[in-house]
Amino acid sequence: MHFLTLATADLDAARQFYRDGLGWTPLFDQPGEILFFQIAPGLVLGLFAADKFDQDLLRGHSTSGVSGVTLSHNVADRAAVTTTIEQLLAAGGSIVKSAQEGEFGGIFHGHVADPNGVIWEIAHNPGWHIDGDGTVRLE
Amino acid sequence: MHFLTLATADLDAARQFYRDGLGWTPLFDQPGEILFFQIAPGLVLGLFAADKFDQDLLRGHSTSGVSGVTLSHNVADRAAVTTTIEQLLAAGGSIVKSAQEGEFGGIFHGHVADPNGVIWEIAHNPGWHIDGDGTVRLE
């Protein structure tokens, strides 16, 4: 996968959330239309004004927002889960699930919704390893 | 971003679609529960049974499916857009937008919904470049 596009009602709120909450710099920014952030090697997140998202798909109906999706950001330790969630809340996010033990694989995580309702998991996952070539191993 | 989780009603249909349509091998496969594919360097796609997706977020309501999201897969040339879309349709996908010129940046693309309604864009984007360190450049 090379690109992930999300239908976004409020691009200005999204810009502030990702810039101030996660420290990201836009790769491309066309106010009122689209906002790009690089979010992994070779991968770009596109926040696309919701009406233009629908136009691009040639659909007559409008998208009510993003649902059924969680984006996960891994951090180095449990303390960073808590501090990252605090930064995201200060940048306009709202809490979905406070930082706690997860059900699987020894993870410690919490969930924050961005100002447009997109859910981010902030996780410390001790079983997650990435080899030098980008191969993911789960232990 | 390290992980992308999608609420998935029919994991068996999803497994077949990604295996046969895109040639992917699962990184982890727990039938009826969750299915992982590595989809980029350091990035895993998790297809999570929809009821468990909601449980993990500690939510009382159920997710109706994925909406407001497009996942994009870039291919090497225009012909590969058409042949990849054909493979995805043969593997259980349905057409959203047939292969055609896009509105932006000289791209040629089409869109297919997976058996659970997740929209994939298959694109040839001549302005998309990835440097050796994974940095994306748009020209």
Side-chain angles (χ1 to χ4, degrees):
Chain A
M1 189 175 72
H2 301 85
F3 210 97
L4 172 66
T5 307
L6 303 179
T8 304
D10 187 337
L11 280 178
D12 292 335
R15 183 186 301 104
Q16 180 179 329
F17 179 81
Y18 292 104
R19 188 184 54 201
D20 299 349
L22 291 170
W24 293 349
T25 301
L27 180 67
F28 181 78
D29 187 351
Q30 178 109 16
E33 194 150 333
I34 202 158
L35 181 61
F36 291 170
F37 293 103
Q38 180 168 342
I39 56 172
L43 180 68
V44 173
L45 172 66
L47 301 157
F48 201 11
D51 56 337
K52 300 194 189 298
F53 178 93
D54 291 312
Q55 280 172 25
D56 189 51
L57 291 175
L58 305 179
R59 297 199 295 192
H61 65 280
S62 63
T63 301
S64 60
V66 173
S67 71
V69 178
T70 302
L71 312 182
S72 298
H73 179 65
N74 288 348
V75 295
D77 53 41
R78 289 183 171 218
V81 172
T82 303
T83 55
T84 303
I85 288 174
E86 285 168 0
Q87 284 169 21
L88 293 174
L89 297 178
S94 53
I95 197 75
V96 174
K97 179 178 172 180
S98 58
Q100 57 193 270
E101 303 277 346
E103 282 200 47
F104 305 99
I107 73 167
F108 183 79
H109 68 171
H111 294 74
V112 175
D114 88 355
N116 293 286
V118 177
I119 297 175
W120 279 85
E121 176 192 35
I122 307 300
H124 171 59
N125 185 343
W128 179 274
H129 302 279
I130 304 178
D131 289 340
D133 66 354
T135 300
V136 176
R137 286 181 295 111
L138 305 171
E139 287 176 0
Chain B
M1 189 175 72
H2 301 86
F3 210 96
L4 173 65
T5 306
L6 303 179
T8 305
D10 187 338
L11 280 178
D12 292 335
R15 183 185 300 106
Q16 178 180 328
F17 179 81
Y18 293 105
R19 189 184 54 201
D20 299 349
L22 291 169
W24 292 349
T25 302
L27 179 67
F28 181 77
D29 187 350
Q30 178 108 16
E33 196 151 332
I34 202 158
L35 180 62
F36 291 171
F37 293 102
Q38 180 168 342
I39 56 172
L43 180 68
V44 173
L45 172 66
L47 301 158
F48 202 10
D51 55 338
K52 300 191 190 300
F53 179 92
D54 291 312
Q55 281 171 26
D56 190 52
L57 292 175
L58 306 179
R59 297 199 294 191
H61 65 280
S62 63
T63 301
S64 61
V66 173
S67 72
V69 179
T70 301
L71 312 181
S72 299
H73 179 65
N74 289 347
V75 294
D77 54 41
R78 290 184 170 216
V81 172
T82 304
T83 55
T84 303
I85 287 174
E86 285 168 0
Q87 283 169 22
L88 292 174
L89 297 178
S94 54
I95 197 78
V96 174
K97 178 179 173 180
S98 59
Q100 57 193 270
E101 303 278 346
E103 282 200 45
F104 306 100
I107 73 166
F108 183 78
H109 69 169
H111 294 73
V112 175
D114 88 355
N116 293 286
V118 177
I119 297 175
W120 279 85
E121 176 192 36
I122 308 301
H124 172 58
N125 185 343
W128 178 274
H129 301 279
I130 304 178
D131 289 341
D133 65 355
T135 300
V136 176
R137 286 182 295 110
L138 305 171
E139 289 175 0

